[in-house]
Amino acid sequence: MHLHLLLSVLASATAVLAHKHHSRDLVLSDNDTSPLVKRDVQAGGACGTQANNAVCAAGLCCSDTGVCGTGGGFCTAPACQLSAGPACDGNQTPAGADTSNVPRPLFGSIPYGVDISHCSVNGKVAITFDDGPYLYTAALLDILKNNNVTATFFVVGNNGAKGMINNPATGYPATLRRMIADGHQIGSHTWSHQDLSLITAQQRRDQIVKNEIALNDVLGVIPTYLRPPYTHWTQDGLNDLKSFGYHVLNYDIDTRDWQGDYNVAETTYSTILSQHSPSSSSWISLEHDIYNTTVHMFAQYIIDAARRLNYQLVTVGECLGDPASNWYRNTTTGQPVDMNVLRANVANGGSSNGSGSTGTSTSTLTQASTTSTRSTASKTTTHTLLATALAVNGNTGANTTTTKARTSTAASATASSTSKSGGTRSVVGAGMGVAVVALIFAAFL
């Protein structure tokens, strides 16, 4: 079952566990022209930020540890170093129409290109799921439907060795269409989950546009909401997102489900909600549909706890008072989308731009050169690569981690204030190799 995915994930996990995870906080300037001093490094050679920005030969990837090679341990996004690894997942381009020239009028009342971290309609909780679609997303859609709940999915186009989301062989196109048909909202979480504050201007734009190409290929529209990975950005990044017509979504409850300690996640979520009245508060909560336990246990807890406290569970657009037609952009006119047309069409397995027409062209976006700028200083973590292992474990996080609260009152709650953007999500230590490998096998059997 999913043998090719097992092999890719196992290779990725093995590579991560072979060294102590670290972050590199080198920030790249948009105008940085530092030379890539060595090109065409062969397999096994040093590359990237660890080797004076040396670039691997064509067809090779540069791993997070700075070694040229092929396979999941070298090529898997977001760890693969884009500028030094021509074959990195993040440097692939999906089939579909180039969306870079779609008109981008700024419609509606929700601001563009600024940090939006909380709702504006009291009594609402918008539960949001990042990093999917993945193996468990279809089951999550079943759970949400059984509870008559809508949510928001910030999807990544090609990360964690899962394959491109518009590739029918993955099954993800059907999952994305079902999200629309079931009334959920889809936003972008970029093409390959790169930290937008640490990559070049061209790479940042590729992260935006390539995910649009894939989503348009499946749905016939592109979203107007985007959550930057790690909620990291620069002012230049915000300017780019505004020019592409995106609302930039943050959150004010971080359950930290990615750490695997669901006792902490439950306490964080319920403490913040219970200390505020639905009549005067509303929330955006962050979760991840790449984890088995989040989907099959925690999602139901989130729903039940919110309803017990008299909150209504809605999409991000609804909690901001933004009409559903504004959540997506027609790729012909750039205008809001007729949701009745879109939902009817995707429910029948097609794609539509919301104006009644269907189908997309097969032209592709020209890839940016991977040798024109400095190597991406990848600030990534193991949570994407090891999603399967964490899913069956469900108990690897630190038991003292809590969440970022929106108000001073929430900040004084039992769940103390901590921001996701304050550091990397390192969830596996060097001593966990045997356990993680065993868990990876178990998840696929």
Side-chain angles (χ1 to χ4, degrees), residues 388-390 392-394 396 432 434-444:
T388 306
L390 286 177
V392 293
N393 185 354
T396 59
M432 293 180 62
V434 175
V436 170
V437 170
L439 287 169
I440 291 172
F441 276 110
F444 284 87

Side-chain angles (χ1 to χ4, degrees), residues 9 44 63 122 125 140 152 163 173 176 194 228 231 290 293 332 341 398 409 425 431:
V9 174
S63 71
N122 289 333
V125 172
L140 176 59
T152 303
L176 294 170
Q194 310 300 146
T231 55
I290 61 173
T293 306
T332 300
V341 173
T409 305
R425 299 174 179 174

Side-chain angles (χ1 to χ4, degrees), residues 315-337:
T315 63
V316 161
E318 289 174 286
C319 87
L320 292 170
D322 193 26
S325 60
N326 293 342
W327 303 350
Y328 308 98
R329 189 179 300 279
N330 183 303
T331 52
T332 300
T333 67
Q335 295 295 326
V337 166

Side-chain angles (χ1 to χ4, degrees), residues 252-254 266-277 281-283 309 311 402-407 409-411 413-417:
D252 47 11
I253 298 179
D254 185 358
E266 291 178 1
T267 300
T268 294
Y269 181 79
S270 60
T271 297
I272 289 192
L273 292 190
S274 63
Q275 291 188 348
H276 298 82
S277 170
S281 63
S282 56
W283 306 93
L309 295 167
Y311 284 94
T402 51
T403 190
K404 180 177 79 173
R406 173 164 59 101
T407 64
T409 305
T414 302
S416 60
S417 174

